Amino acid sequence: VFEVAGQMNSDFFRIHKESGVPRLDIAAALRSRGRSAEPNLRSMVRWLQSFQYDCFLFGSRSLVPLTANWWHDDYEVCLSRAELPCWYDVLAVPRAGRPGFWGSRRGELLRAWRAVPTHGH
C-alpha cells in the first residue's frame, strides 16, 4: 500500500500545499501539457507493473484497477480533481501467476479483505 499525496512531487506540492489553497490554474496547465513531475501515480503504477504488480485505487470496499489497459488519465487524481484533497491510497499486489506468492497467501489475503469494514458499518 502506498499513498499519493500533495507532497509526492513538486507539481502536486505547488497545486495542493504551497499556497494553502488548491491552485486549479496550475493543475489545468499541467493537464493540458499531458504530464506532471515524477513520481506521480502513473509513473508508480508503470514502475510496479515492470515488477509484475497490479495496482488499484482503493477507499471503502471498492478497488479501481490502474494497471495496463485499465489506466485512464483521470486517475491522476491530484491533477484531474485538484479541487479535492490530494490524498489517495493505492494497493499494489503481485500479479496472479507470479510464482510463489498466491499459492501460500491467497487464503490469508481473502480473509483480510473480508475483514475490511464496509462503509457505515
Side-chain angles (χ1 to χ4, degrees), residues 5-20:
Q7 60 274 20
M8 186 171 196
N9 66 46
S10 58
D11 289 336
F12 292 176
F13 186 84
R14 285 182 24 223
I15 295 166
H16 295 279
K17 302 287 183 184
E18 194 169 62
S19 69

Side-chain angles (χ1 to χ4, degrees), residues 48 51-56 63 67 91-114:
L48 286 161
F51 292 99
Q52 297 185 11
Y53 281 78
D54 290 326
C55 296
F56 303 85
L63 294 175
T67 306
L91 174 66
V93 295
R95 188 164 297 135
R98 181 178 166 190
F101 182 81
W102 291 106
S104 63
R105 296 190 178 129
R106 185 174 187 278
E108 180 183 337
L109 288 169
L110 291 173
R111 282 190 298 282
W113 179 249
R114 283 192 294 269

Side-chain angles (χ1 to χ4, degrees), residues 6-121:
Q7 60 274 20
M8 186 171 196
N9 66 46
S10 58
D11 289 336
F12 292 176
F13 186 84
R14 285 182 24 223
I15 295 166
H16 295 279
K17 302 287 183 184
E18 194 169 62
S19 69
V21 295
R23 293 289 310 273
L24 304 181
D25 58 325
I26 296 172
L30 290 169
R31 278 194 316 273
S32 70
R33 244 181 35 194
R35 60 187 176 94
S36 69
E38 293 183 0
N40 54 44
L41 180 58
R42 185 177 202 163
S43 71
M44 292 295 296
V45 167
R46 285 181 173 170
W47 180 72
L48 286 161
Q49 183 179 337
S50 74
F51 292 99
Q52 297 185 11
Y53 281 78
D54 290 326
C55 296
F56 303 85
L57 276 176
F58 76 102
S60 58
R61 290 185 61 93
S62 299
L63 294 175
V64 177
L66 301 170
T67 306
N69 293 336
W70 291 101
W71 177 261
H72 191 281
D73 287 342
D74 286 347
Y75 295 151
E76 196 68 74
V77 290
C78 293
L79 290 179
S80 65
R81 298 298 308 267
E83 71 278 8
L84 300 175
C86 177
W87 185 14
Y88 299 91
D89 292 321
V90 179
L91 174 66
V93 295
R95 188 164 297 135
R98 181 178 166 190
F101 182 81
W102 291 106
S104 63
R105 296 190 178 129
R106 185 174 187 278
E108 180 183 337
L109 288 169
L110 291 173
R111 282 190 298 282
W113 179 249
R114 283 192 294 269
V116 174
T118 58
H119 184 68
H121 294 87

